[in-house]
Amino acid sequence: MKKIILALTFAFALLPAMAQEHNCANCPHHKQHQQSASCCEPKQKMINGLPAEIANAFPTAKSIKKDTQWTLVYNAKKELLGYVVYSKPASNGIKGYAGETPLMIALGSNMKILSVTMLQNNETPSYLSLVVNSGLLKSWNGMKVSRAKKKNVDTVAGATFSSRSIIQTFQAAIKKL
């Protein structure tokens, strides 16, 4: 059983590298239907017509409006529930062990942090589990943005690169709020 788990762990670790080697300019699939590689990229998960991460952060959300700084989130009565801030592009270049660690930060209408959500990334799942289980992503919940900017957060032992990247990504995302 240990050999199977080890083999699977190794195989999953190679997937990001294998995906990067794919050259769609020479891909028969894309030549056949003359489309770009984006036609085969994973589609964003949606719940009730909203991106899943927004629907999960705001269960009563019915609509969103993208602004230059953030995404405004509304309920069915068109009342403002809060805001969503994505770390990109502010966090471009901040890398963990296997790449960038993009985040979505959900803010209530009172500008208190409701949640911090990891978005799709290439970090090793076992290290991310350490980070999530440590409570790092929840460490800013309930804080006003002004307080969260000043909060010192420790990295997670055993997942130092990933947790350091998440902390820096969070700080970059809220810097201009």
Side-chain angles (χ1 to χ4, degrees):
M1 185 67 168
K2 288 182 182 180
K3 289 181 182 180
I4 292 172
I5 292 172
L6 182 62
L8 287 172
T9 303
F10 181 73
F12 281 113
L14 290 177
L15 282 177
M18 290 168 46
Q20 291 173 350
E21 292 175 12
H22 179 76
N23 182 352
C24 281
N26 299 319
C27 175
H29 167 73
H30 293 114
K31 282 183 180 178
Q32 178 183 359
H33 59 78
Q34 297 178 339
Q35 291 186 7
S36 70
S38 64
C39 71
C40 296
E41 291 175 0
K43 301 285 185 209
Q44 184 176 27
K45 292 180 182 173
M46 304 292 278
I47 298 175
N48 297 327
L50 298 173
E53 65 269 10
I54 293 177
N56 290 331
F58 296 93
T60 60
K62 294 296 178 197
S63 64
I64 58 174
K65 179 183 177 191
K66 293 184 181 188
D67 198 341
T68 55
Q69 189 172 13
W70 43 42
T71 300
L72 291 84
V73 182
Y74 299 94
N75 64 15
K77 296 179 182 179
K78 304 286 185 207
E79 298 166 330
L80 180 67
L81 296 174
Y83 310 90
V84 168
V85 176
Y86 290 96
S87 62
K88 307 274 296 157
S91 64
N92 286 352
I94 298 172
K95 296 187 190 248
Y97 182 74
E100 294 181 349
T101 54
L103 301 172
M104 182 203 79
I105 302 163
L107 305 165
S109 58
N110 60 1
M111 294 302 287
K112 283 189 178 181
I113 297 167
L114 299 174
S115 64
V116 178
T117 304
M118 287 292 308
L119 300 176
Q120 187 174 352
N121 61 74
N122 292 322
E123 292 296 284
T124 307
S126 60
Y127 293 124
L128 279 183
S129 290
L130 287 173
V131 172
V132 171
N133 293 337
S134 76
L136 176 65
L137 296 175
K138 294 179 180 181
S139 65
W140 297 285
N141 289 2
M143 290 185 185
K144 289 260 189 190
V145 171
S146 57
R147 184 168 167 233
K149 286 179 180 180
K150 299 173 188 172
K151 180 176 173 81
N152 287 326
V153 179
D154 291 329
T155 59
V156 177
T160 307
F161 290 111
S162 299
S163 58
R164 183 180 299 134
S165 174
I166 290 167
I167 294 165
Q168 291 173 353
T169 296
F170 176 85
Q171 292 298 332
I174 65 168
K175 186 175 184 177
K176 294 187 179 181
L177 298 181

